[in-house]
Amino acid sequence: MKENKRNDWGTIRKKGKIKYIWKHGILTYGIPVGILIVVYNMSKDVGFLNIFTLQNMIAGVIAVLLNGLMIGLLYGLIMWAFYERKWRKENKNVK
């Protein structure tokens, strides 16, 4: 790991795992991917113009939140474990 990445991860990991998962996993990755998945699937099912009816928008928002939470949580956990393992390997004497 490069020196600036190591320092960045050291700063990020001090803030905590839960904050990392929320910010980098759910908000930065999960919700945008959830939006893309829902828009794509709904446009295939009901047509793109019919996505904007009230009933479909409510269903879409619920689906985005559920998909975003699941995808973001999984992504955040995986990335935390990846960076943490890499950081610990290079900083064996630091806890």
Side-chain angles (χ1 to χ4, degrees):
M1 193 180 288
K2 293 182 181 175
E3 186 66 32
N4 60 349
K5 287 280 191 183
R6 187 177 314 131
N7 291 337
D8 289 346
W9 183 249
T11 304
I12 290 170
R13 73 188 296 269
K14 285 179 185 175
K15 293 178 183 175
K17 187 176 188 178
I18 293 173
K19 187 171 183 174
Y20 176 82
I21 290 171
W22 269 104
K23 183 178 179 184
H24 295 279
I26 295 171
L27 296 176
T28 304
Y29 185 79
I31 298 296
V33 170
I35 291 169
L36 292 174
I37 289 170
V38 169
V39 168
Y40 175 74
N41 286 334
M42 287 183 77
S43 66
K44 278 184 13 183
D45 293 342
V46 297
F48 186 74
L49 295 177
N50 292 330
I51 291 175
F52 302 106
T53 63
L54 182 60
Q55 181 181 1
N56 288 337
M57 287 185 76
I58 292 171
V61 167
I62 292 169
V64 164
L65 291 175
L66 292 175
N67 284 328
L69 283 172
M70 289 186 299
I71 293 167
L73 179 63
L74 184 61
Y75 177 80
L77 286 170
I78 290 169
M79 294 310 293
W80 177 272
F82 173 76
Y83 285 125
E84 188 68 11
R85 186 177 311 123
K86 199 171 187 178
W87 190 85
R88 285 181 190 249
K89 190 184 295 184
E90 294 180 5
N91 299 289
K92 292 180 183 183
N93 58 348
V94 178
K95 182 162 181 171

